[in-house]
Amino acid sequence: MSSAPPNSDVETPDYYRPCVSHVPAGKGVVKWMSGDVYEVKATTESTNGALGFIDCWVPPGNGPVAHVHKSADEAFYLISGALEFLNGDQTFVANAGDFVFVPKGTRHRFRNITAEETHMVAFYTPGGGEALFLEAGDDPVPGGKPEFWPPERGLALAALLGRKDIDMEVLPEEADFDIPADEA
């Protein structure tokens, strides 16, 4: 049933034009990245540049190295679990139900400090940062498990990080050189 104006002699306003993006559960593009699982639900292409949206599962001890996004803000909402966040040179813990906003130009990272997998959603505004997962992440292997990447695998991403859409710089901290907590 349409709610468009009944008078067909009048041009239909743009707000009656269907343009909503809908990605059903489990229908995003899933990538494995250094032991984490990321399901990309929205890309800069699908949102006309507005945002990139990712559903994330982070095993104990995992998370990215410290980095900064120079041209995009990033935000997180924790669904379950807890993560330690780096905020410049300080850390804090975010728990299920917490929202974290990271303005562009802020050095940050997250790390799962619990014994359970943490589930969260993340988004970039404007979109573009999700391209790193889509282009550098591993395709899932049925029956397999994502593996923690050795440092050289992360260093191989350098060419992608400098691209205008991703625009990310790695700024490691001492904790980035540790092995995952579940292997300690």
Side-chain angles (χ1 to χ4, degrees):
M1 177 173 177
S2 173
S3 61
N7 184 348
S8 62
D9 294 338
V10 177
E11 187 175 318
T12 303
D14 280 348
Y15 48 80
Y16 284 101
R17 183 176 45 86
C19 56
V20 170
S21 176
H22 172 232
V23 180
K27 297 297 182 184
V29 177
V30 177
K31 293 290 185 173
W32 290 352
M33 198 151 204
S34 195
D36 300 346
V37 177
Y38 297 100
E39 182 179 2
V40 178
K41 298 283 199 171
T43 64
T44 189
E45 291 81 13
S46 69
T47 64
N48 198 28
L51 62 90
F53 188 88
I54 306 166
D55 200 357
C56 316
W57 293 268
V58 184
N62 275 32
V65 298
H67 60 278
V68 62
H69 301 281
K70 296 183 262 180
S71 58
D73 297 321
E74 189 173 16
F76 305 89
Y77 178 78
L78 278 73
I79 297 167
S80 66
L83 297 172
E84 177 189 73
F85 277 85
L86 177 66
N87 175 20
D89 65 354
Q90 299 178 354
T91 61
F92 65 92
V93 175
N95 296 290
D98 289 358
F99 173 79
V100 177
F101 175 75
V102 181
K104 63 185 165 195
T106 304
R107 179 175 172 245
H108 66 285
R109 61 108 177 111
F110 56 83
R111 181 160 292 116
N112 184 342
I113 58 169
T114 73
E116 303 294 325
E117 183 174 66
T118 293
H119 183 201
M120 69 174 172
V121 292
F123 59 93
Y124 298 96
T125 55
E130 72 283 354
L132 178 65
F133 302 97
L134 294 171
E135 295 182 38
D138 297 325
D139 291 327
V141 176
K145 179 181 172 192
E147 295 182 10
F148 189 77
W149 290 355
E152 57 272 7
R153 176 78 191 269
L155 292 172
L157 302 177
L160 281 175
L161 300 182
R163 275 189 5 201
K164 185 179 179 184
D165 57 338
I166 297 172
D167 200 17
M168 180 175 141
E169 183 178 346
V170 173
L171 301 170
E173 61 173 334
E174 192 68 32
D176 292 330
F177 301 105
D178 293 338
I179 58 171
D182 64 340
E183 293 179 16

